[in-house]
Amino acid sequence: MSKYYNFRNLDIIFVDDNKNMHSLLKSLLLAMNVVNSRGCYTSEECFKCMLEDAPDIVITDMSLNPENGIDLIRRIRQGEMGVDRYTPILVLSGQTSLKHVVSARDAGATEFLAKPVSVGSLHDRLVWMIENPRPFIKASTYIGPDRRRAMRGYEGMERRQ
Amino acid sequence: MTKIVKMEGYEIHHPVSDLKRKASKGDGLSLKEIEKRIAKKMGALEEEFLSGVPPVIKSIEDALDRLEKGQGGIVEQKEIFRQGHDLKGMGGSFGYPIMGTIGSAICQLSNDDIETKNMMLPLIRVHLDLLIYVNAHRIKDDTDPKAAPILAALENAKTR
């Protein structure tokens, strides 16, 4: 038996407002054997796709012209329109300052991956998400993965004592 | 079924994660095999990316022209930032990290911490010219001999 994950049965939605990124992500995912991937350009499209068929993972950019990926993450975490609020969300963004990473985490992102993206970095992050599911915290001002366990690549960042 | 543990002031939810079951270890591909697969596709993806660069250049140029003539404002600033931001993310992803570097510099010069009237338009112009040169010569990174004047110009632009 192979020691490698087979991603064939995964269903992934990616949200990005750039046509070239759609081609790239579709190809990267296909190379990994993810045959069920759906690309969306807007938050509304993403919600529509999520309602049609619940995905296993959502990958989203942070700046979805003219919208904001952070709002999309918050809306998913609120379970808006009945989508699964626990869906793992991977943020794929070129906005890599600490401010942006923290805002993604505080909105409820599961993991963060900086652009430029390579097949190796995306594969690594997907494997990490599969092997390290995180419990969710629901408080008055936050719902999302437990922030005490830092996102991949940002271990140690703002960890509580 | 999500198991919910009530704590003081918050709840811990343990949703059932289907990922591990769906992506079971079996007849999966190694990263090496995956990289081989994508390498076959990258040529076509690069061409697609490059065909999208001229409209990016035009968009930045139009916005910059308006700002230089004193006719532009926040809309033009945002447009320059957006295009720079896209380049920053895509350049490296498509095998053109030098375009990513130029995009990143354009972002720094047009981000919303800078007031439109304080934007360093000549510096943005320098970066736009560099982008045009890089695109025309299909320079991928700093190992290309044609990149030497570009890198020197970038360094000059930063220290000016």
Side-chain angles (χ1 to χ4, degrees):
Chain A
M1 183 191 268
S2 161
K3 59 184 175 175
Y4 305 109
Y5 283 108
N6 189 342
F7 296 144
R8 179 170 282 276
N9 294 323
L10 290 185
D11 183 328
I12 296 180
I13 288 177
F14 55 87
V15 195
D16 200 298
D17 61 355
N18 187 289
K19 190 170 73 73
N20 285 316
M21 280 310 293
H22 273 240
S23 302
L24 180 66
L25 282 171
K26 188 99 189 160
S27 300
L28 292 178
L29 291 169
L30 201 53
M32 290 181 214
N33 239 356
V34 179
V35 289
N36 297 311
S37 73
R38 293 170 281 165
C40 301
Y41 287 89
T42 64
S43 301
E44 294 319 311
E45 261 184 71
C46 176
F47 271 94
K48 203 175 153 212
C49 282
M50 288 183 83
L51 289 170
E52 273 170 12
D53 205 355
D56 298 302
I57 294 173
V58 169
I59 300 174
T60 183
D61 191 8
M62 288 240 280
S63 56
L64 304 170
N65 186 44
E67 302 162 300
N68 185 337
I70 295 292
D71 290 337
L72 171 63
I73 299 167
R74 283 207 189 96
R75 290 173 65 193
I76 292 173
R77 291 296 178 240
Q78 292 301 325
E80 204 175 296
M81 296 163 85
V83 299
D84 179 6
R85 60 167 48 164
Y86 303 117
T87 307
I89 301 173
L90 170 63
V91 172
L92 177 59
S93 176
Q95 294 174 307
T96 53
S97 67
L98 185 62
K99 179 179 87 175
H100 287 108
V101 177
V102 170
S103 70
R105 184 200 65 174
D106 289 348
T110 312
E111 300 292 338
F112 191 101
L113 179 59
K115 287 181 186 172
V117 60
S118 68
V119 74
S121 60
L122 184 58
H123 181 266
D124 172 73
R125 212 49 52 97
L126 292 179
V127 169
W128 177 266
M129 288 169 86
I130 290 164
E131 292 187 341
N132 299 277
R134 296 156 72 190
F136 270 57
I137 299 295
K138 185 177 182 221
S140 57
T141 56
Y142 174 76
I143 174 156
D146 189 344
R147 292 175 289 186
R148 285 172 295 188
R149 242 182 64 190
M151 294 189 291
R152 172 81 159 148
Y154 291 88
E155 291 91 344
M157 187 183 73
E158 290 200 349
R159 293 189 82 163
R160 287 181 209 164
Q161 297 301 307
Chain B
M1 183 78 176
T2 300
K3 184 182 157 199
I4 298 175
V5 181
K6 289 193 182 295
M7 309 295 281
E8 205 172 313
Y10 67 98
E11 294 171 354
I12 302 174
H13 294 203
H14 295 273
V16 178
S17 174
D18 245 5
L19 285 180
K20 218 165 191 167
R21 184 184 58 79
K22 282 193 164 181
S24 61
K25 282 189 178 173
D27 52 350
L29 299 168
S30 69
L31 183 55
K32 210 170 174 181
E33 288 169 298
I34 293 169
E35 281 172 339
K36 261 192 208 162
R37 281 175 145 207
I38 196 67
K40 285 183 192 160
K41 191 87 205 297
M42 268 325 276
L45 288 168
E46 275 178 34
E47 285 305 317
E48 198 180 323
F49 163 67
L50 288 174
S51 71
V53 176
V56 170
I57 291 171
K58 178 154 186 354
S59 185
I60 297 175
E61 193 150 39
D62 289 350
L64 188 57
D65 279 348
R66 285 195 291 278
L67 285 166
E68 284 171 338
K69 287 177 187 157
Q71 296 165 351
I74 190 74
V75 174
E76 281 73 17
Q77 180 175 357
K78 283 188 179 215
E79 180 60 16
I80 291 172
F81 178 83
R82 193 173 76 84
Q83 299 292 351
H85 179 258
D86 276 359
L87 264 184
K88 179 184 162 191
M90 286 194 302
S93 303
F94 284 90
Y96 285 80
I98 203 159
M99 285 200 199
T101 306
I102 294 170
S104 175
I106 290 174
C107 279
Q108 281 175 28
L109 292 164
S110 57
N111 71 64
D112 57 11
D113 289 339
I114 301 168
E115 275 189 64
T116 308
K117 63 177 172 40
N118 294 331
M119 284 172 77
M120 291 192 274
L121 302 181
L123 258 186
I124 297 176
R125 177 64 68 182
V126 168
H127 284 88
L128 180 60
D129 291 343
L130 290 174
L131 178 60
I132 292 167
Y133 182 89
V134 161
N135 186 51
H137 293 83
R138 297 197 163 201
I139 297 171
K140 290 193 164 198
D141 55 35
D142 56 9
T143 60
D144 188 319
K146 291 189 291 264
I150 302 288
L151 295 169
L154 266 176
E155 210 42 55
N156 268 341
K158 275 186 203 163
T159 51
R160 220 184 280 169

